[in-house]
Amino acid sequence: MTDIPLNPFILVDGSAYLFRAYHALPPLVNVEGVPTGAVFGVLNMIKRLQKDYKGAQIIVVVDPKGGTFRHELYDGYKSDRGAMPDDLAIQIPLVHEAIVALGLPLLIEPGYEADDVIASLVNMRGKQSVLISTLDKDL
């Protein structure tokens, strides 16, 4: 097992965090009735990383709205997945806003999934330590 430095460079798969939080928590809403469960869950996971790795540089990477180059390569890409639930979709801008409010960089690269951006960033780091925080089994 590789030792993780005290202050690693951390890449967070924000899209995986979002889906995990949405499915793991009961439906929560604010006083105005706006769904907030996924926002609450994502922020708790990020704050846990900040607590466990004080001083680490954390970058949150999320999928762009719309398709990616993978959809152009294969028309059936992710065609077996249903539409995103409305109560999750409404939370995406709230999650993005909260991440920025925490002072963390939010990376959204049009045409590329978060997985691809994370892999590219790891490759760019060369031999420098990188910790990838994701719940995506195929990253």
Side-chain angles (χ1 to χ4, degrees), residues 47 77 123 128:
K47 291 192 109 5
Y77 183 66
N123 189 47
Q128 296 173 332

Side-chain angles (χ1 to χ4, degrees), residues 61-113:
V61 185
V62 298
D63 293 334
K65 187 175 183 176
T68 66
F69 77 94
R70 293 171 186 255
H71 295 93
E72 293 173 16
L73 292 174
Y74 176 57
D75 287 336
Y77 183 66
K78 293 190 178 182
S79 62
D80 60 335
R81 296 188 183 179
M84 180 181 293
D86 291 339
D87 63 333
L88 174 57
I90 199 168
Q91 295 181 70
I92 292 173
L94 302 174
V95 168
H96 293 180
E97 185 179 325
I99 289 166
V100 171
L102 286 174
L104 298 176
L106 176 67
L107 221 100
I108 305 169
E109 189 62 38
Y112 296 92
E113 291 185 3

Side-chain angles (χ1 to χ4, degrees), residues 9-18 49 58-64 69-70 105-109 111-126 128-139:
F9 181 77
I10 301 175
L11 298 172
V12 173
D13 184 345
S15 296
Y17 269 34
L18 180 74
L49 272 178
I58 298 174
I59 297 175
V60 181
V61 185
V62 298
D63 293 334
F69 77 94
R70 293 171 186 255
L106 176 67
L107 221 100
I108 305 169
E109 189 62 38
Y112 296 92
E113 291 185 3
D115 295 6
D116 299 312
V117 175
I118 289 170
S120 295
L121 290 170
V122 168
N123 189 47
M124 291 168 59
R125 296 283 294 183
Q128 296 173 332
S129 295
V130 177
L131 175 64
I132 299 171
S133 183
T134 185
L135 301 160
D136 189 342
K137 295 176 184 165
D138 67 352
L139 176 63

Side-chain angles (χ1 to χ4, degrees), residues 39-56:
V39 178
F40 178 75
V42 169
L43 291 178
N44 275 337
M45 288 187 276
I46 290 173
K47 291 192 109 5
R48 178 62 191 255
L49 272 178
Q50 290 176 317
K51 178 183 174 196
D52 290 348
Y53 299 100
K54 287 179 176 43

